[in-house]
Amino acid sequence: MRRETAWLMGGAALLTTAAAGASIWNNYGALLRWTEPALPLAETQLAPRTVLYKTVGEKELKLDLYYPVGEGPFPVAIYAHGGAFVRGSRDDLFCFTPIVERFLELGIAVCSIDYRLFEDGSYFPDNLEDVRDALCFLNQEADNLRIARGRMVLWGDSAGAALMLTTALAPMEFIGDQKAEQLPLISGVIALYPPTNFLLFKFIQTWIAHIKFYGGGREEWRALMTRVSPATHLTADSPPIMLLHGKKDPIVPFTQALHFIEKGADVGADVRLFSFPNGTHSLASFAQTENPLKIERLLDRIEAFSCQVLVLPPRETLH
């Protein structure tokens, strides 16, 4: 009787765990279906220069370059898209058209990069190696691409922002195909609502959700998440960082930004947080598109940070 009871209890526990896992995966699926609300597009669609920077098996990874007026070489703002590391593409750049246009007005070229996704059968740290290889490629081919070495700012949203942060903060940690010495100097990072410490999410639930992509055990997964989290690598020597995060973000909680700020203060890093009381997980929620003044203030903050770290004159002196 005791054995039968034990079997029944064990079976019930397994069913409960399976149901919880299914529920978590459904919630995670909802996250993956989330789409960044687009701000108004420019009247003239920009035409990129598309370049292949890496091939992995049959997978081609490319980057798009958009140039301001002039001959260059230009400082460059390099973008990595969001999408929970599972989906997205370099075309997601156009969800952030006002930022792109402001960079170009400042004389800054804009680059948007591909990286391998979970849905491609890749997991951490493949995506970080790809980001690093893209930066190395840009540095190596700077003369041909008309961009300035040593004047690169990284930016991204959500998952892409996390990849850019970790790459900038741990430049010798995730070396892919490019040689270590090819990594460029990073002037600064602009991160829109990034996860900064993956273990701040509910550990068991997140691990169960990631079983679809990751085949290892829980403790190995925990160690990997620590290694790839931006907060792990913050030091006093880190490049300047600008965080933009909404206090009502339902996907990456605002506590992620607070944790990063506290870690930065502990180690003496230059981390600046701009919070938005009604902001959710989108630039559109920060800008509140019905109010042009708010868009302008947001862009002014990005401009001030970019001009400082790239050593550029104010925009009004450029015209």
Side-chain angles (χ1 to χ4, degrees):
M1 184 67 179
R2 289 180 181 176
R3 182 177 297 176
E4 291 173 357
T5 302
W7 276 106
L8 286 171
M9 292 177 65
L14 285 172
L15 287 172
T16 301
T17 302
S23 174
I24 293 160
W25 177 248
N26 288 337
N27 291 338
Y28 196 72
L31 167 67
L32 303 186
R33 290 188 295 272
W34 176 88
T35 302
E36 172 80 31
L39 290 168
L41 293 175
E43 291 182 8
T44 304
Q45 188 74 10
L46 298 172
R49 177 179 178 181
T50 301
V51 182
L52 175 70
Y53 79 85
K54 180 178 180 179
T55 302
V56 185
E58 297 181 357
K59 177 72 174 178
E60 292 186 339
L61 297 176
K62 297 179 181 180
L63 56 83
D64 290 335
L65 273 162
Y66 302 85
Y67 293 102
V69 175
E71 295 300 318
F74 304 103
V76 61
I78 305 158
Y79 169 78
H81 64 81
F85 309 105
V86 179
R87 61 175 176 82
S89 78
R90 62 187 191 276
D91 289 340
D92 293 351
L93 176 75
F94 288 103
C95 293
F96 304 93
T97 300
I99 297 178
V100 174
E101 291 178 336
R102 181 59 60 92
F103 281 140
L104 295 176
E105 286 175 14
L106 291 167
I108 301 170
V110 178
C111 179
S112 184
I113 65 172
D114 279 333
Y115 56 87
R116 281 174 287 174
L117 303 170
F118 292 179
E119 67 181 5
D120 299 330
S122 295
Y123 199 69
F124 292 110
D126 292 350
N127 43 20
L128 287 160
E129 292 175 1
D130 293 341
V131 169
R132 192 183 190 284
D133 280 341
L135 301 183
C136 291
F137 175 86
L138 288 165
N139 190 50
Q140 206 170 5
E141 299 294 322
D143 295 338
N144 177 48
L145 297 174
R146 298 194 293 141
I147 58 177
R149 290 185 177 90
R151 302 182 72 195
M152 297 183 177
V153 64
L154 310 184
W155 66 293
D157 63 297
S158 196
L163 294 177
M164 288 304 206
L165 282 170
T166 299
T167 302
L169 301 179
M172 303 306 292
E173 180 74 16
F174 303 100
I175 297 174
D177 294 344
Q178 293 274 359
K179 295 179 181 178
E181 59 269 20
Q182 295 295 344
L183 187 71
L185 176 69
I186 304 303
S187 300
V189 185
I190 301 170
L192 288 82
Y193 34 88
T196 61
N197 183 340
F198 297 119
L199 294 184
L200 289 182
F201 292 104
K202 292 182 179 179
F203 170 68
I204 295 296
Q205 292 185 352
T206 310
W207 177 69
I208 291 173
H210 277 216
I211 284 175
K212 182 178 176 72
F213 310 110
Y214 175 71
R218 283 168 44 185
E219 292 311 310
E220 293 84 0
W221 187 84
R222 182 190 290 272
L224 178 60
M225 290 302 98
T226 299
R227 181 177 170 232
V228 301
S229 290
T232 301
H233 305 284
L234 261 177
T235 70
D237 296 325
S238 298
I241 296 165
M242 177 184 186
L243 289 183
L244 301 165
H245 211 121
K247 291 187 174 180
K248 294 184 179 178
D249 192 326
I251 294 175
V252 179
F254 184 63
T255 51
Q256 291 268 350
L258 296 179
H259 170 80
F260 197 70
I261 282 285
E262 291 171 2
K263 178 68 184 295
D266 288 345
V267 301
D270 181 357
V271 183
R272 313 168 199 184
L273 172 62
F274 292 95
S275 60
F276 299 84
N278 295 314
T280 58
H281 199 68
S282 73
L283 179 69
S285 72
F286 298 171
Q288 296 183 16
T289 53
E290 74 280 1
N291 187 337
L293 264 182
K294 291 207 171 184
I295 296 177
E296 193 63 27
R297 288 173 184 167
L298 173 63
L299 295 175
D300 285 346
R301 289 175 175 177
I302 293 172
E303 175 179 332
F305 178 86
S306 302
C307 287
Q308 180 188 6
V309 300
L310 292 172
V311 195
L312 289 172
R315 182 166 44 108
E316 56 268 20
T317 67
L318 300 175
H319 302 284

